[in-house]
């Protein structure tokens, strides 16, 4: 009798453990999307960098404008190092004296109106327009090229950011595939504004970026003239997903989902190589 009761107790205990484990796993599964908070990470063969959502969105915009202007990667490296030094790659409302925006450009020095300089697309475009006027800028040391554009108090400060700038240029510029991931919890998701996202994307990359009529109305297909540009577009979409309520991005055999953003890009054999699918 005692052995029978002991056996029953073991069975009850085992059932209880299994039930608790199952309940714990179910609770973890529900809580998991909230555990990581919000953020982004850039990872290439050169290294990795953590970013917040705003920094990542600004980074992808710098790369997009470089694509629109058909600039070499070195130009993007100079821009990234400058933006890191001036604002930590944030679109600041103000700064030293009348400086504003990512590059802390000053209206009083002829850069333009404060409203335009607070627009990441326009401020980046103005930076590149000034950079390409610097004679032999591609052959200059980074801090020298940046200083000739910015004319800041300490031009040597830009040099320290060159390694990070190279990581960002490779990832956001598309040379390193599937290198940008972002995540945020369900309570931070926003209502879908895919049409606005596509308009803003084309404003950054330029009107030559073609949006193909999709086979279904629940997504947009952005034509990728080459794989590198395709990954730059995909990175832009991922970094702007929270702002525009995008739920997934697919390209070149990879898939990113907002619901599993921290997992990054997963394999997707059906993801096309010629268009970036944005939902």
């Amino acid at each position: 009798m005692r052995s029978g009761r002991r056996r029953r107790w073991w069975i009850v205990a085992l059932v209880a453990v299994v039930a608790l484990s199952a309940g714990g796993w179910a609770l973890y599964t529900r809580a998991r999307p909230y555990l990581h908070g919000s953020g982004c990470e850039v990872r290439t063969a050169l290294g990795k960098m953590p970013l917040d959502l705003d920094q990542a969105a600004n980074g992808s915009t710098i790369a997009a404008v470089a694509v629109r202007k058909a600039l070499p990667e070195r130009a993007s490296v100079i821009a990234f190092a400058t933006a890191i030094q001036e604002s930590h790659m944030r679109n600041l409302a103000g700064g030293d004296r009348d400086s504003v925006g990512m590059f802390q450009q000053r209206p009083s020095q002829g850069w333009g109106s404060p409203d335009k300089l607070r627009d990441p697309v326009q401020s980046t475009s103005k930076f590149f327009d000034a950079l390409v006027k610097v004679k032999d800028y591609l052959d200059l040391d980074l801090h020298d090229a940046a200083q000739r554009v910015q004319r800041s108090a300490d031009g040597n400060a830009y040099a320290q950011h060159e390694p990070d700038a190279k990581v960002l240029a490779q990832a956001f510029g598309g040379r390193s595939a599937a290198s940008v991931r972002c995540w945020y919890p369900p309570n931070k998701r926003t209502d879908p504004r895919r049409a606005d996202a596509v308009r803003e994307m084309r404003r950054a990359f330029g009107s030559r970026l073609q949006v193909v009529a999709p086979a279904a109305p629940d997504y947009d297909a952005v034509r990728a003239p080459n794989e590198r540009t395709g990954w730059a577009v995909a990175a832009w979409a991922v970094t702007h997903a929270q702002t525009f309520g995008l739920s997934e991005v697919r390209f070149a055999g990879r898939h990113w989902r907002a619901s599993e953003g921290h997992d990054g890009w997963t394999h997707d054999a059906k993801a096309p190589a010629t268009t970036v699918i944005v939902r």
Side-chain angles (χ1 to χ4, degrees):
M1 293 292 293
R2 288 183 178 178
S3 63
R5 283 197 295 270
R6 192 178 297 117
R7 190 180 301 114
R8 285 195 295 273
W9 276 110
W10 274 109
I11 293 173
V12 170
L14 180 60
V15 170
V17 168
V18 171
L20 287 171
S21 298
W25 177 254
L27 181 62
Y28 169 75
T29 301
R30 287 196 295 271
R32 184 172 180 265
Y34 296 89
L35 297 178
H36 301 293
S38 299
C40 297
E41 184 187 69
V42 168
R43 184 191 294 263
T44 75
L46 296 178
K48 63 179 181 179
M49 284 184 65
L51 302 169
D52 63 29
L53 292 174
D54 288 338
Q55 288 173 311
N58 290 332
S60 66
T61 295
I62 289 174
V65 175
V67 170
R68 168 159 57 86
K69 292 179 174 292
L71 295 174
E73 189 174 285
R74 181 63 177 174
S76 292
V77 172
I78 296 169
F80 278 120
T82 303
I84 294 171
Q85 173 61 29
E86 295 292 351
S87 67
H88 298 290
M89 229 157 63
R90 301 183 192 282
N91 189 25
L92 301 179
D96 180 45
R97 287 171 282 190
D98 60 337
S99 300
V100 296
M102 264 200 298
F103 297 95
Q104 288 293 277
Q105 295 151 328
R106 297 181 60 190
S108 62
Q109 293 185 344
W111 282 100
S113 68
D115 287 345
K116 289 184 177 180
L117 299 179
R118 292 190 189 101
D119 177 350
V121 172
Q122 294 195 58
S123 64
T124 300
S125 186
K126 287 177 178 292
F127 177 86
F128 282 135
D129 288 346
L131 178 64
V132 298
K133 292 177 182 176
V134 174
K135 184 179 179 180
D136 299 325
Y137 78 93
L138 293 174
D139 299 321
L140 298 176
D141 289 338
L142 182 145
H143 68 276
D144 193 3
Q147 175 64 355
R148 293 193 191 190
V149 174
Q150 296 294 107
R151 304 198 179 280
S152 65
D154 182 10
N156 291 323
Y158 300 113
Q160 64 187 313
H161 304 297
E162 186 165 0
D164 287 342
K166 288 181 176 179
V167 173
L168 296 174
Q170 282 196 4
F172 288 121
R175 182 147 72 96
S176 182
S179 296
V180 181
R181 65 185 176 116
C182 294
W183 59 90
Y184 42 91
N187 63 324
K188 295 295 185 181
R189 292 178 193 161
T190 56
D191 293 334
R193 295 190 296 121
R194 201 172 69 249
D196 291 339
V198 171
R199 278 193 292 271
E200 184 64 16
M201 181 190 295
R202 296 188 75 216
R203 191 170 76 92
F205 282 93
S207 58
R208 287 177 294 179
L209 195 70
Q210 297 181 359
V211 180
V212 185
D218 65 336
Y219 70 87
D220 283 294
V222 182
R223 192 185 301 281
N226 52 63
E227 186 173 358
R228 187 165 177 170
T229 300
W231 280 115
V233 169
W236 189 98
V238 167
T239 59
H240 288 81
Q242 195 270 342
T243 298
F244 293 105
L246 307 179
S247 60
E248 60 181 314
V249 183
R250 302 171 64 211
F251 179 62
R254 301 291 186 91
H255 196 163
W256 175 88
R257 294 179 177 85
S259 59
E260 301 168 357
H262 195 269
D263 293 340
W265 291 87
T266 58
H267 289 285
D268 178 0
K270 295 184 179 180
T274 56
T275 54
V276 181
I277 303 300
V278 179
R279 244 187 196 94

